[in-house]
Amino acid sequence: QSWSTGMSYCLHSESHLDTGPIYVRENGKLHMVNQGAGGIKNVTPKTRPFSLFSRSFSVELCMNREDDRARRQRTDHFIFTYTKEGNLRYSAKSLFSLVLGYISDNVDHIDSLIGFPEQIAEKLFSAAEARQKFTEPVTGLRALQKFTEAYGSLVLCSLCLRNRYLVISEKLEEIKSFRELTCLDLSCCKLGDEHELLEHLTKEALSSVKRLLLKDNSLSDAGLRRMTAPVRVLKKGLENLLVLDLSCNPDITDVGIGYLLSFKKLNCLDISGTGLKDVDAVIKRIQMQIGLVHSKVPLKEFDHSNCKTEGWAEQTVLQWEQAVMEAMKPQDNLRSRAAALRFYGKTHRIEEVVKCTVVESETEASGNLQFYKEKVQNCHSPLKKEVASSHELKNNKKRALAEQETERTSKQKHLCLTVEDWDLLNTY
């Protein structure tokens, strides 16, 4: 009786709280306490849906409570969803996701990724990229270098910086960290002969470049001499170059074209809009020494449609461009919408073509000077033995003349290695 009286008193004293039904087990049986009468009924409890969390319930898993800023930046480690009945359900994220998020938050502290599986490294790069870790001034460069040292062309195999001079200025060290690039488009950037990026082109890290587009970059003969010095003397640098665009650089003359003859593997060359004096002599010289034929029609290799940024860091380059546009907003508020469209890759190609229209019109006026290497014809069309033999004789004569020319030019090269050339080579 005393227990019943105490329970009744407890219930009446806290009657303002909606505690719901209360069940008490006594002598092996479950009893429900009647709050209104304060008594106990021997009834079996009715089952009803029971939700663990209310609709307004929220949970935040906090780690490292000493660092409040880190705690605010860290996302929840649980996934909350509502069922059709309105009940809240939660599930913990996978251990892999938790570890991936933690490492990506501290990606700049990684010592090395050499030998690490590239499938997991790609997920780690994407997670760090989503957190915009590579846009940070110091730590971003350090983190990006760890990936480029280990994975090379997987991080970026093709880089298009056409009309991106501001991006080059702000992220020059990050751009120089990319290794094993096969395509690099620096068109319409006005870099000049002394730019640090042009000097970087001669380094061993970019010896894999096969397609180089330097249209409208204010280059002269001095810039070509610097760029080709390692290839001409040391057989290093851009020795694997297949496609080269030097159009719209009016300060390049016949002397500068002579430096390009060291690129023996060239398949396509564009020197339209340059300051050549004797065009016919240059055409013959290019054909004799590196086997390129003057094209009567524009070549598709120089229409810039195939050059684009490809690799894991494609979105990273877009983030860099967005950061540059954000910095320019106070000076150019009217182009905020255009900057957003450019970030999402919807208008930047069109605007690039518009920016270079003046230079392209000058090139068309001066004439098309594009060269390509003819493909050897197979037995698609039957030829007579006499015709074939005559072609062989002509080719032998051309080869003999070419060898004589190369010997003569090689002697001239050795004679032309002045003190300035040797000082230049010592800088590489």
Side-chain angles (χ1 to χ4, degrees), residues 18-292:
D18 185 12
T19 58
I22 300 176
Y23 299 96
V24 179
R25 183 176 295 278
E26 184 179 10
N27 297 328
K29 295 183 179 180
L30 191 63
H31 306 277
M32 182 179 69
V33 178
N34 189 347
Q35 296 184 14
I40 303 176
K41 292 183 179 181
N42 294 328
V43 295
T44 305
K46 295 181 180 179
T47 60
R48 69 173 193 174
F50 181 75
S51 58
L52 181 61
F53 302 107
S54 61
R55 289 178 178 269
S56 60
F57 178 79
S58 63
V59 174
E60 181 181 1
L61 182 61
C62 299
M63 300 173 63
N64 190 14
R65 290 181 177 273
E66 290 79 7
D67 190 356
D68 292 336
R69 189 179 68 175
R71 178 166 55 87
R72 287 195 301 268
Q73 292 178 351
R74 185 172 291 106
T75 57
D76 295 340
H77 290 172
F78 293 95
I79 301 174
F80 292 91
T81 57
Y82 278 102
T83 62
K84 294 181 180 180
E85 294 79 10
N87 297 327
L88 183 67
R89 289 185 178 179
Y90 72 98
S91 60
K93 293 182 180 179
S94 64
L95 180 60
F96 177 78
S97 300
L98 298 179
V99 174
L100 194 68
Y102 178 78
I103 297 176
S104 60
D105 286 334
N106 302 276
V107 68
D108 56 299
H109 296 292
I110 295 176
D111 291 333
S112 177
L113 288 169
I114 298 176
F116 195 70
E118 60 188 43
Q119 293 85 355
I120 307 300
E122 184 178 3
K123 296 181 182 295
L124 179 60
F125 189 94
S126 299
E129 191 178 54
R131 291 165 170 79
Q132 296 191 356
K133 300 296 291 185
F134 301 117
T135 60
E136 299 175 0
V138 179
T139 59
L141 173 60
R142 187 163 58 244
L144 186 62
Q145 287 175 344
K146 301 300 180 182
F147 283 94
T148 55
E149 290 173 359
Y151 304 104
S153 60
L154 291 177
V155 178
L156 210 64
C157 62
S158 178
L159 178 59
C160 181
L161 295 174
R162 183 179 170 92
N163 274 317
R164 304 289 197 284
Y165 179 76
L166 293 177
V167 177
I168 295 175
S169 300
E170 295 294 329
K171 297 296 180 180
L172 179 60
E173 295 300 323
E174 286 81 352
I175 294 171
K176 290 169 60 177
S177 68
F178 292 122
R179 298 174 175 231
E180 300 181 13
L181 287 174
T182 58
C183 179
L184 181 59
D185 189 353
L186 300 174
S187 301
C188 306
C189 288
K190 305 290 185 180
L191 298 180
D193 295 331
E194 302 295 332
H195 199 277
E196 188 177 350
L197 185 56
L198 291 179
E199 182 181 354
H200 180 66
L201 290 176
T202 62
K203 304 298 181 182
E204 187 178 356
L206 291 181
S207 61
S208 59
V209 173
K210 297 181 179 180
R211 181 182 174 90
L212 180 60
L213 307 178
L214 295 173
K215 177 180 181 179
D216 189 20
N217 268 286
S218 303
L219 298 177
S220 66
D221 296 340
L224 294 186
R225 184 171 67 89
R226 293 173 58 88
M227 191 173 64
T228 60
V231 182
R232 288 186 286 117
V233 180
L234 303 176
K235 304 300 180 183
K236 295 182 180 179
L238 298 170
E239 57 180 351
N240 297 315
L241 202 60
L242 299 179
V243 179
L244 178 60
D245 185 1
L246 292 173
S247 59
C248 305
N249 290 288
D251 293 333
I252 295 178
T253 64
D254 306 42
V255 178
I257 300 301
Y259 297 131
L260 302 179
L261 302 178
S262 58
F263 295 134
K264 301 299 181 181
K265 297 182 180 180
L266 268 185
N267 288 334
C268 296
L269 175 64
D270 189 357
I271 53 174
S272 305
T274 54
L276 301 181
K277 297 179 181 179
D278 192 348
V279 177
D280 294 335
V282 170
I283 293 175
K284 291 179 180 179
R285 192 177 180 186
I286 291 175
Q287 184 173 358
M288 291 294 296
Q289 296 193 23
I290 55 179
L292 297 183

Side-chain angles (χ1 to χ4, degrees), residues 3 35 51 61 79 196 273 280 326 340 355 361 393 422 428:
W3 175 85
Q35 296 184 14
S51 58
L61 182 61
I79 301 174
E196 188 177 350
D280 294 335
E326 289 291 334
K355 290 179 181 178
S361 62
L393 291 174
W422 286 114
Y428 292 100

